[in-house]
Amino acid sequence: MPAFHDILFPLDVALGARGGPERRTEIVSLGSGREERNARWAHSRRRWNAGYGVKSLAALAGVVAFFEERRGRLYGFRWRDRLDHASGPPDAAVVATDQPLGVGDGTRTAFQLVKTYGGAHAPYVRPIVKPVAGSVRVALGGVAQAAGFAVDSTTGLVTFATAPAMGVGVSAGFLFDVPVRFDADQLDIDLSAFAAGEIPSIPVVEIRL
């Protein structure tokens, strides 16, 4: 059975969640007082608590149904990060030159969607594997393309019918979701506390596919 369901977590709940990226850094303190630091993960991983987005019993019931269909932690699903779900700045329109994907060599036809963070010192390039279907815009040499390519919305791979020529920059703009799963096999919900304003804990964590 597939380990991922290509379905979006209830958007009204996800947009009210709390969380963000995490890193795993190993720090060794030396006798001199200096430190040695090593990154254990090449890529960050994001976590959220979806409980902060639940504002009604109807929304909570919807999340419970979603949780049951995913069988708890068994199946992954799509998650929309309110802060970071587009190739450009928040609330900016998607354009085909938002993110560089690579440079043509006359042979290569497939390019992975990525998003780059920073740039002055050590830019981080994040693979994007769950673009929103129909949202991807592609450019060659800064010129937007209307055809001649296909986008796999389940992997984030852009494939050209004809390989981009040597030295031609490939770029794209897009909306995207994050592949996640529930980080618990149990939802501990106290309805009396919820009615009084308490927030149920609904942990969600990013997964690698």
Side-chain angles (χ1 to χ4, degrees):
M1 299 175 68
F4 188 86
H5 290 171
D6 198 34
I7 184 172
L8 185 65
F9 185 86
L11 194 57
D12 57 335
V13 177
L15 295 184
R18 175 180 294 180
E22 67 171 341
R23 289 277 179 176
R24 181 66 57 84
T25 305
E26 185 178 74
I27 301 177
V28 178
S29 297
L30 305 179
S32 63
R34 299 182 63 183
E35 293 181 342
E36 293 290 343
R37 295 183 295 276
N38 181 56
R40 298 292 300 276
W41 295 345
H43 297 287
S44 58
R45 180 172 65 178
R46 285 155 174 77
R47 290 181 178 274
W48 294 273
N49 187 338
Y52 290 94
V54 176
K55 304 301 182 185
S56 68
L57 288 177
L60 182 55
V63 171
V64 170
F66 193 92
F67 175 87
E68 291 284 32
E69 191 175 7
R70 306 288 85 73
R71 310 298 195 271
R73 295 186 296 175
L74 184 60
Y75 293 102
F77 52 91
R78 285 177 177 256
W79 173 273
R80 186 70 51 82
D81 183 350
R82 183 177 186 179
L83 175 65
D84 190 5
H85 64 270
S87 53
D91 300 324
V94 168
V95 295
T97 54
D98 276 343
Q99 296 292 326
L101 306 185
V103 178
D105 60 7
T107 302
R108 180 183 175 189
T109 58
F111 294 79
Q112 178 67 49
L113 290 178
V114 296
K115 182 172 182 178
T116 301
Y117 298 78
H121 300 285
Y124 166 58
V125 179
R126 176 188 180 186
I128 302 300
V129 298
K130 296 297 177 186
V132 175
S135 74
V136 181
R137 307 289 181 263
V138 174
L140 293 175
V143 179
Q145 306 295 300
F149 65 91
V151 180
D152 190 334
S153 63
T154 65
T155 65
L157 201 64
V158 178
T159 304
F160 291 92
T162 302
M166 179 73 71
V168 173
V170 180
S171 61
F174 45 85
L175 301 177
F176 65 94
D177 298 318
V178 183
V180 301
R181 62 166 171 79
F182 288 107
D183 200 25
D185 276 325
Q186 175 188 12
L187 293 183
D188 186 14
I189 300 169
D190 183 342
L191 290 179
S192 62
F194 176 71
E198 293 253 340
I199 303 298
S201 178
I202 307 173
V204 174
V205 63
E206 184 177 3
I207 57 176
R208 301 290 172 209
L209 299 175

